[in-house]
Amino acid sequence: MVKRYFLSNKDIKELSNAVGELGSLFRNAKKVEVYELNEAVTVYIIDDKPLVAKLMIKMDTGTKEYIIPLLTYFYINPAYMPNYPVITVDDGAVPPHRQRS
């Protein structure tokens, strides 16, 4: 069952100090809603946008916690998009689609 609640200003401040570079997202937020989807996944809705998730990954040595930005974060902040290689394909390089008989 999903647990859903809003964070208090005090909780927002504590969270913003704990998440490193993503802290400014929380500090500048008017409201932060938390969706605990299960014991391993929590999504933070910041000003009505799902921007950050917390993942709890079980390993042989214990459990690790990861705070990661979601794709909506990169859509809103394209300057932070990782620089992945880009491939451009010329239209002439792709044969036309043939229908099977």
Side-chain angles (χ1 to χ4, degrees):
M1 180 174 210
V2 176
K3 282 177 61 178
R4 183 178 165 188
Y5 55 92
F6 287 93
L7 293 181
S8 69
N9 288 337
K10 179 184 175 187
D11 291 337
I12 291 171
K13 184 177 179 181
E14 288 176 8
L15 183 61
S16 71
N17 291 331
V19 295
E21 290 182 37
L22 295 172
S24 63
L25 275 175
F26 293 97
R27 277 189 291 277
N28 299 328
K30 293 182 177 105
K31 63 181 177 177
V32 176
E33 190 172 2
V34 178
Y35 280 64
E36 292 181 6
L37 302 178
N38 55 45
E39 65 182 37
V41 180
T42 301
V43 176
Y44 294 94
I45 312 296
I46 302 167
D47 294 332
D48 300 319
K49 296 174 189 74
L51 298 179
V52 178
K54 177 173 75 173
L55 307 175
M56 302 295 285
I57 309 294
K58 292 182 182 177
M59 302 178 161
D60 293 339
T61 57
T63 302
K64 287 206 144 213
E65 179 180 291
Y66 295 94
I67 306 290
I68 60 168
L70 298 175
L71 289 176
T72 48
Y73 171 79
F74 293 116
Y75 180 76
I76 293 170
N77 302 290
Y80 293 105
M81 178 68 91
N83 291 325
Y84 293 116
V86 176
I87 297 174
T88 304
V89 178
D90 185 294
D91 288 338
V94 180
H97 177 70
R98 289 189 262 170
Q99 292 191 6
R100 295 181 181 178
S101 328

